[in-house]
Amino acid sequence: MSDLRFQQPDGDATLKDWQYVHNVIIPTHVLSLDEVRERSGRHHLEIAYLGDTLVGCSTVRPPADDTRTATVIARVLAAHRGQGFGEALYARGLRRARELGAREIETVVLSSNEDGLRFAQRHSFIETERYLLPGDTIPWIDMRLS
């Protein structure tokens, strides 16, 4: 993992890398490049590369209003799971959320992402809500760090 590096998207090429990982892992909620650009202004986004190979991305939604709750999401492409990349992305996201003033940490996982659910449960997240977004057929699961 010594060649693992992290980068905030800083132009269309890196925004497209973040978009690619998101859209592969969340095929029920495909984002356009414009939507990713908009998110990059509201959230802390990072991309993970092993050398020049794209392996994953993360999102930290900062605490809003007085909730002191941040959302941390780590995504790793299937071919790169089980190698510690998710751990590294999650640790960085958790640290960033705390720097932004979060006292509570949440995540959200598409229920069909069994690897993501197992990862969240292993890191002491518990389910708080299961729901469908309009037009979706696969439920989302909101989870809170216990």
Side-chain angles (χ1 to χ4, degrees):
M1 288 214 335
S2 62
D3 289 341
L4 186 63
R5 65 181 174 86
F6 302 91
Q7 178 179 341
Q8 283 188 264
D10 59 0
D12 280 357
T14 51
L15 285 168
K16 286 178 183 178
D17 283 350
W18 188 96
Q19 175 192 29
Y20 174 78
V21 175
H22 176 278
N23 289 348
V24 165
I25 294 173
I26 314 293
T28 61
H29 190 71
V30 171
L31 296 177
S32 70
L33 187 56
D34 284 339
E35 290 170 315
V36 174
R37 279 189 198 102
E38 188 273 330
R39 282 183 185 214
S40 72
R42 290 184 293 128
H43 306 316
H44 178 81
L45 307 181
E46 279 194 335
I47 314 148
Y49 300 93
L50 183 61
D52 292 330
T53 302
L54 177 64
V55 298
C57 73
S58 66
T59 301
V60 177
R61 297 178 193 158
D65 303 322
D66 294 330
T67 65
R68 309 291 305 254
T69 301
T71 302
V72 176
I73 305 167
R75 301 174 197 88
V76 176
L77 294 169
H80 303 286
R81 293 182 184 157
Q83 301 174 54
F85 305 133
E87 292 289 337
L89 280 163
Y90 171 67
R92 290 176 63 85
L94 188 59
R95 188 169 44 254
R96 182 69 178 147
R98 299 275 189 229
E99 290 169 356
L100 293 170
R103 293 198 182 167
E104 300 289 333
I105 304 294
E106 295 180 336
T107 195
V108 60
V109 181
L110 193 61
S111 64
S112 60
N113 182 354
E114 294 176 9
D115 289 339
L117 282 172
R118 279 192 298 275
F119 182 90
Q121 291 165 340
R122 274 196 320 271
H123 289 83
S124 301
F125 282 88
I126 57 169
E127 183 175 334
T128 58
E129 185 178 5
R130 198 174 278 245
Y131 55 93
L132 285 172
L133 292 175
D136 280 358
T137 58
I138 300 172
W140 293 87
I141 302 172
D142 284 348
M143 303 178 88
R144 180 167 283 217
L145 188 60
S146 60

Short mmCIF file of all heavy atoms in Angstrom, two decimals, residues 76-98:
data_model
loop_
_atom_site.label_atom_id
_atom_site.label_comp_id
_atom_site.label_asym_id
_atom_site.label_seq_id
_atom_site.Cartn_x
_atom_site.Cartn_y
_atom_site.Cartn_z
N VAL A 76 -14.97 1.33 -2.72
CA VAL A 76 -13.82 0.68 -3.34
C VAL A 76 -14.32 -0.20 -4.47
O VAL A 76 -15.27 -0.98 -4.29
CB VAL A 76 -13.02 -0.16 -2.32
CG1 VAL A 76 -11.88 -0.90 -2.99
CG2 VAL A 76 -12.48 0.74 -1.20
N LEU A 77 -13.69 -0.08 -5.63
CA LEU A 77 -14.06 -0.92 -6.77
C LEU A 77 -13.86 -2.39 -6.41
O LEU A 77 -12.90 -2.73 -5.70
CB LEU A 77 -13.23 -0.54 -7.99
CG LEU A 77 -13.51 0.87 -8.54
CD1 LEU A 77 -12.46 1.26 -9.57
CD2 LEU A 77 -14.92 0.96 -9.11
N ALA A 78 -14.73 -3.25 -6.89
CA ALA A 78 -14.75 -4.67 -6.50
C ALA A 78 -13.39 -5.35 -6.65
O ALA A 78 -12.99 -6.13 -5.78
CB ALA A 78 -15.82 -5.41 -7.28
N ALA A 79 -12.67 -5.07 -7.71
CA ALA A 79 -11.38 -5.73 -7.95
C ALA A 79 -10.33 -5.36 -6.91
O ALA A 79 -9.30 -6.04 -6.80
CB ALA A 79 -10.87 -5.38 -9.34
N HIS A 80 -10.58 -4.32 -6.13
CA HIS A 80 -9.58 -3.84 -5.17
C HIS A 80 -10.02 -3.98 -3.72
O HIS A 80 -9.35 -3.47 -2.82
CB HIS A 80 -9.25 -2.37 -5.48
CG HIS A 80 -8.76 -2.18 -6.88
ND1 HIS A 80 -7.51 -2.57 -7.31
CD2 HIS A 80 -9.39 -1.67 -7.97
CE1 HIS A 80 -7.38 -2.29 -8.58
NE2 HIS A 80 -8.50 -1.75 -9.01
N ARG A 81 -11.12 -4.66 -3.48
CA ARG A 81 -11.61 -4.85 -2.12
C ARG A 81 -10.76 -5.88 -1.38
O ARG A 81 -10.12 -6.72 -1.98
CB ARG A 81 -13.08 -5.26 -2.14
CG ARG A 81 -13.95 -4.14 -2.64
CD ARG A 81 -15.41 -4.47 -2.64
NE ARG A 81 -16.14 -3.34 -3.24
CZ ARG A 81 -17.33 -3.45 -3.78
NH1 ARG A 81 -17.96 -4.60 -3.78
NH2 ARG A 81 -17.91 -2.39 -4.30
N GLY A 82 -10.79 -5.80 -0.06
CA GLY A 82 -10.09 -6.75 0.77
C GLY A 82 -8.58 -6.52 0.84
O GLY A 82 -7.84 -7.39 1.30
N GLN A 83 -8.13 -5.34 0.43
CA GLN A 83 -6.70 -5.04 0.43
C GLN A 83 -6.35 -3.86 1.33
O GLN A 83 -5.23 -3.37 1.31
CB GLN A 83 -6.24 -4.75 -1.01
CG GLN A 83 -6.49 -5.91 -1.96
CD GLN A 83 -6.17 -5.54 -3.39
OE1 GLN A 83 -5.06 -5.08 -3.68
NE2 GLN A 83 -7.13 -5.73 -4.28
N GLY A 84 -7.33 -3.39 2.10
CA GLY A 84 -7.08 -2.29 3.03
C GLY A 84 -7.39 -0.91 2.49
O GLY A 84 -7.26 0.08 3.21
N PHE A 85 -7.81 -0.80 1.23
CA PHE A 85 -8.09 0.51 0.66
C PHE A 85 -9.32 1.15 1.30
O PHE A 85 -9.35 2.35 1.55
CB PHE A 85 -8.26 0.43 -0.85
CG PHE A 85 -7.09 -0.20 -1.55
CD1 PHE A 85 -7.28 -1.17 -2.51
CD2 PHE A 85 -5.78 0.15 -1.24
CE1 PHE A 85 -6.21 -1.76 -3.17
CE2 PHE A 85 -4.70 -0.44 -1.87
CZ PHE A 85 -4.91 -1.39 -2.84
N GLY A 86 -10.34 0.34 1.56
CA GLY A 86 -11.54 0.86 2.24
C GLY A 86 -11.20 1.36 3.63
O GLY A 86 -11.71 2.39 4.07
N GLU A 87 -10.34 0.62 4.34
CA GLU A 87 -9.90 1.04 5.67
C GLU A 87 -9.24 2.42 5.60
O GLU A 87 -9.51 3.29 6.41
CB GLU A 87 -8.90 0.05 6.25
CG GLU A 87 -9.46 -1.30 6.58
CD GLU A 87 -10.38 -1.29 7.79
OE1 GLU A 87 -10.28 -0.37 8.64
OE2 GLU A 87 -11.22 -2.20 7.88
N ALA A 88 -8.36 2.59 4.62
CA ALA A 88 -7.65 3.86 4.49
C ALA A 88 -8.60 5.00 4.13
O ALA A 88 -8.53 6.09 4.71
CB ALA A 88 -6.54 3.73 3.44
N LEU A 89 -9.50 4.76 3.19
CA LEU A 89 -10.47 5.79 2.81
C LEU A 89 -11.37 6.14 3.99
O LEU A 89 -11.64 7.32 4.26
CB LEU A 89 -11.32 5.31 1.63
CG LEU A 89 -10.69 5.42 0.26
CD1 LEU A 89 -11.44 4.55 -0.74
CD2 LEU A 89 -10.66 6.87 -0.20
N TYR A 90 -11.85 5.12 4.70
CA TYR A 90 -12.73 5.35 5.85
C TYR A 90 -12.00 6.14 6.94
O TYR A 90 -12.55 7.11 7.49
CB TYR A 90 -13.26 4.02 6.38
CG TYR A 90 -14.00 4.16 7.69
CD1 TYR A 90 -15.22 4.85 7.75
CD2 TYR A 90 -13.48 3.64 8.86
CE1 TYR A 90 -15.89 4.99 8.96
CE2 TYR A 90 -14.14 3.78 10.06
CZ TYR A 90 -15.34 4.46 10.11
OH TYR A 90 -16.00 4.61 11.30
N ALA A 91 -10.78 5.76 7.27
CA ALA A 91 -10.02 6.45 8.32
C ALA A 91 -9.82 7.92 7.96
O ALA A 91 -9.95 8.81 8.81
CB ALA A 91 -8.68 5.75 8.56
N ARG A 92 -9.48 8.18 6.71
CA ARG A 92 -9.30 9.57 6.26
C ARG A 92 -10.61 10.34 6.35
O ARG A 92 -10.65 11.49 6.78
CB ARG A 92 -8.75 9.61 4.85
CG ARG A 92 -7.31 9.15 4.75
CD ARG A 92 -6.84 9.10 3.30
NE ARG A 92 -6.86 10.42 2.69
CZ ARG A 92 -5.88 11.31 2.78
NH1 ARG A 92 -4.78 11.02 3.44
NH2 ARG A 92 -5.97 12.49 2.18
N GLY A 93 -11.71 9.70 5.91
CA GLY A 93 -13.01 10.36 5.97
C GLY A 93 -13.45 10.64 7.40
O GLY A 93 -13.98 11.72 7.70
N LEU A 94 -13.23 9.68 8.28
CA LEU A 94 -13.60 9.85 9.69
C LEU A 94 -12.79 11.00 10.31
O LEU A 94 -13.34 11.86 11.00
CB LEU A 94 -13.35 8.55 10.44
CG LEU A 94 -13.84 8.47 11.87
CD1 LEU A 94 -15.34 8.69 11.95
CD2 LEU A 94 -13.47 7.11 12.47
N ARG A 95 -11.50 11.04 10.02
CA ARG A 95 -10.64 12.12 10.52
C ARG A 95 -11.13 13.48 9.99
O ARG A 95 -11.24 14.45 10.75
CB ARG A 95 -9.20 11.86 10.13
CG ARG A 95 -8.19 12.79 10.73
CD ARG A 95 -6.74 12.37 10.54
NE ARG A 95 -6.42 11.90 9.20
CZ ARG A 95 -6.20 10.61 8.88
NH1 ARG A 95 -6.29 9.67 9.78
NH2 ARG A 95 -5.90 10.28 7.64
N ARG A 96 -11.48 13.54 8.72
CA ARG A 96 -11.96 14.79 8.13
C ARG A 96 -13.28 15.22 8.77
O ARG A 96 -13.48 16.40 9.07
CB ARG A 96 -12.12 14.63 6.62
CG ARG A 96 -12.57 15.88 5.92
CD ARG A 96 -11.49 16.93 5.94
NE ARG A 96 -11.96 18.10 5.21
CZ ARG A 96 -11.63 19.32 5.51
NH1 ARG A 96 -10.80 19.57 6.50
NH2 ARG A 96 -12.10 20.32 4.82
N ALA A 97 -14.18 14.27 8.99
CA ALA A 97 -15.46 14.58 9.63
C ALA A 97 -15.25 15.17 11.02
O ALA A 97 -15.90 16.16 11.39
CB ALA A 97 -16.33 13.33 9.70
N ARG A 98 -14.34 14.60 11.78
CA ARG A 98 -14.04 15.11 13.13
C ARG A 98 -13.44 16.52 13.04
O ARG A 98 -13.76 17.38 13.85
CB ARG A 98 -13.10 14.16 13.85
CG ARG A 98 -13.64 12.77 14.05
CD ARG A 98 -14.49 12.64 15.27
NE ARG A 98 -14.80 11.22 15.52
CZ ARG A 98 -16.01 10.77 15.75
NH1 ARG A 98 -17.03 11.60 15.78
NH2 ARG A 98 -16.23 9.50 15.96
#
